[in-house]
């Protein structure tokens, strides 16, 4: 099948253009790339009268020449480890490239629907599909020994991060209780559909399960920090999140402030007062995951304010048996 790429452009004269093609490019580099895309879409694309007809796409680019906004997104199948911070770093590099200084540049976490709504802001969000989503705790085989809720101690075999190697998790959820107790769960889920389906009942489903140690960056692809006292829900993901699905989260969490955490797992750590040392991927690991040195530098320079709260985390006790 292969990826389809969607291109949407609004020109300075207010006209709207679109083009879709097999494969294609999902991000630009310099100002020459921008000019080249505009020329090509005017030559090979379609002038849009009404709503865009561009098909659902795996990746895409939107350029609004009137407001100087640029959004891009790529197929999640090619997302590298630490994918959220990789895309954030790409956007910062683009914004600092000559010819883009006065542009608003960002990764389109809303996917192709976000591209359409950038160029056609009056489009209503497409309704999210109502899908039942089970809460799937990650595997506990071979590594988990015990959870003592009185002493708040998790006992594991061999190493405090052993779950990262054996649990086969994809999602990290951290809950901050009103008494500042902080507890983590590792799940085999994608976070936003889970939040949209369960709403606040997710908290009870998690509390019925023994907690997990805090996952390292290369072990999970998405997550959330849920602060009960502040009624604040912050999520992050390497998957695209259609605006309609995000609207559903707001409906199922009434009275909560819902926000996307920038920088993925690193933003997650900052939100719970943890520094990335020992939990974030090293430069060598990033290079092995095919990051280039410039993106590594941008990512390492990103200033993430660590929230100065004193949270009470479970102890992780290691035994060899």
């Amino acid at each position: 099948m292969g990826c389809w790429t969607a291109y949407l452009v609004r020109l300075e004269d207010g006209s709207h253009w679109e083009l879709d093609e097999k494969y294609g490019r999902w991000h630009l580099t310099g100002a020459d790339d921008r000019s080249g895309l505009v020329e090509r879409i005017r030559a090979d694309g379609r002038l849009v009268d009404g709503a865009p007809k561009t098909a659902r796409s795996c990746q895409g680019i939107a350029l609004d020449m009137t407001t100087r906004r640029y959004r891009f997104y790529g197929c999640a199948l090619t997302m590298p480890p630490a994918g959220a911070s990789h895309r954030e770093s790409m956007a910062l590099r683009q914004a600092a490239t000559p010819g883009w200084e006065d542009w608003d540049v960002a990764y389109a976490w809303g996917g192709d629907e976000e591209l359409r709504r950038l160029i056609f802001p009056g489009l209503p969000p497409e309704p999210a599909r109502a899908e039942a989503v089970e809460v799937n705790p990650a595997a506990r085989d071979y590594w988990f020994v015990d959870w003592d809720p009185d002493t708040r101690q998790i006992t594991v075999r061999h190493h405090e991060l052993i779950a990262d190697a054996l649990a086969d998790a994809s999602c990290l959820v951290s809950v901050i209780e009103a008494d500042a107790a902080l507890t983590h769960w590792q799940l085999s889920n994608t976070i936003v559909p889970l939040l949209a389906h369960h709403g606040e009942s997710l908290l009870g489903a998690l509390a019925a399960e023994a907690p997990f140690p805090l996952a390292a960056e290369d072990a999970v692809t998405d997550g959330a920090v849920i602060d009960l006292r502040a009624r604040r829900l912050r999520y992050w993901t390497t998957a695209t999140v259609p605006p309609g699905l995000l609207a559903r989260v707001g409906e199922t969490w009434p009275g909560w402030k819902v926000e996307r955490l920038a920088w993925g797992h690193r933003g997650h750590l900052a939100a719970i007062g943890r520094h990335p040392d020992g939990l974030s991927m090293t430069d060598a690991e990033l290079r092995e995951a095919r990051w280039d040195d410039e993106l590594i530098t941008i990512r390492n320079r990103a200033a993430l304010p660590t929230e100065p709260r004193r949270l009470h985390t479970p102890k992780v006790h290691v035994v060899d048996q």
Side-chain angles (χ1 to χ4, degrees), residues 91-98 100-101:
L92 283 183
R93 176 166 68 181
Q94 183 72 72
T97 301
W100 291 90
E101 297 90 347

Side-chain angles (χ1 to χ4, degrees), residues 143-148 151-163 211-214 313-321:
W143 67 270
F144 179 78
V145 178
D146 187 39
W147 158 244
D148 185 339
T151 61
R152 286 181 54 80
Q153 178 171 286
I154 305 169
T155 303
V156 305
R157 293 184 175 93
H158 307 308
H159 190 276
E160 63 180 9
L161 294 178
I162 191 65
F212 285 68
L214 176 60
T313 60
K315 295 174 288 185
V316 179
H317 177 61
V318 180
V319 296
D320 284 317
Q321 64 177 45

Side-chain angles (χ1 to χ4, degrees), residues 302-317:
L304 299 179
T306 301
E307 298 193 11
R309 298 175 61 180
R310 292 190 176 183
L311 302 176
H312 313 300
T313 60
K315 295 174 288 185
V316 179
H317 177 61

